[in-house]
Structures are given as structure tokens and as C-alpha cells.
């Protein structure tokens, strides 16, 4: 199982970006998925999550600006980021809780991270 994140870049404040995360491989079930971010000098923090049934949660500072979604058939996760602010600058990581066929435990997998830079 591998997660590949993409879509980061440089954008001006007030702009928008779409992040994507593709899960590759076979023989597994994806449960909850989420986006995390880590700004320079700070700890990694949760940005948004989406369950297997589509329920979503957001960190307070992104509520109303970011939208998380997933494409079950394509095994992809997206984060639509609108009205970006300089404080959104961070490396964004996708994560997925996965159970491999024949097993019962869930294992968290991480993407490699994609850098989002918001200029003022």
C-alpha cells in the first residue's frame, strides 16, 4: 500500500488549491482518511478527516474554507482549500487507516507530504 500526495504549490493569500492523495496497491480496505499539516517549527496537526461513510470533521481554523472529499472507486482523497491564508503554509500529509485482506487490524499509512506556501 502506498499513498501519493500531490497538488501543493505557491499561491497568494485568498487563493485556492486542491490537494489529492492516491492510494495504490490491492487487497485492502480503506477506513478513515485525513489530511494533516506541519508548519515550520510546529507539530503536525490534524486538518480534516472523512470516514468510510462520508462523515467529515475539520480543524477550527479551516472550517468553512476547506472541504475534504474522497472517491471510493478511485481510492483517492482530496482537499479543496479556499481563501488560503499565510498561516496555512505547511507541508500537508494525507493519511489512511487500512486493513489488509485476511487481517483484522487497522494500520495507518502516510503519504509523503506536499508543500503548500501561501504568500501575503
Amino acid at each position: 500500500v502506498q499513498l501519493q500526495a500531490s497538488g501543493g504549490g505557491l499561491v497568494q493569500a485568498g487563493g485556492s488549491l486542491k490537494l489529492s492523495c492516491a492510494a495504490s496497491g490491492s487487497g485492502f480496505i480503506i477506513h478513515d482518511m485525513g489530511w494533516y499539516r506541519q508548519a515550520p517549527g510546529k507539530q503536525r496537526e490534524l486538518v480534516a478527516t472523512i470516514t468510510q461513510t462520508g462523515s467529515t470533521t475539520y480543524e477550527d481554523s479551516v472550517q468553512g474554507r476547506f472541504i475534504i472529499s474522497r472517491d471510493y472507486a478511485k481510492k483517492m482523497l482530496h482537499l479543496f482549500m479556499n481563501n488560503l491564508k499565510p498561516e496555512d503554509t505547511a507541508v500537508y500529509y494525507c493519511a489512511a487507516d487500512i486493513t489488509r485482506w485476511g487481517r483484522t487490524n487497522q494500520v495507518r499509512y502516510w503519504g509523503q507530504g506536499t508543500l503548500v506556501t501561501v504568500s501575503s
Side-chain angles (χ1 to χ4, degrees), residues 16 35 42 54 56 64 69 77:
S16 299
W35 287 97
K42 295 187 177 181
T56 59
S69 69
L77 177 70

Side-chain angles (χ1 to χ4, degrees), residues 22-41:
S24 61
S26 61
F28 58 88
I29 298 170
I30 302 176
H31 305 282
D32 294 356
M33 303 184 79
W35 287 97
Y36 293 73
R37 66 186 179 186
Q38 187 166 17

Side-chain angles (χ1 to χ4, degrees), residues 47-120:
V47 175
T49 64
I50 184 166
T51 68
Q52 199 173 25
T53 57
S55 297
T56 59
T57 63
Y58 296 92
E59 193 268 330
D60 288 346
S61 70
V62 308
Q63 180 76 46
R65 299 189 297 123
F66 291 10
I67 298 173
I68 188 171
S69 69
R70 62 191 287 179
D71 183 324
Y72 296 86
K74 296 182 179 179
K75 295 184 287 187
M76 292 194 70
L77 177 70
H78 302 291
L79 185 68
F80 298 87
M81 305 185 294
N82 302 302
N83 190 20
L84 282 160
K85 303 176 180 180
E87 51 263 42
D88 294 318
T89 295
V91 176
Y92 284 71
Y93 299 89
C94 58
D97 295 331
I98 289 173
T99 298
R100 289 182 175 272
W101 292 355
R103 302 184 182 182
T104 58
N105 62 310
Q106 292 188 25
V107 177
R108 172 153 298 184
Y109 288 80
W110 293 90
Q112 85 287 6
T114 184
L115 176 62
V116 172
T117 303
V118 184
S119 63
S120 57

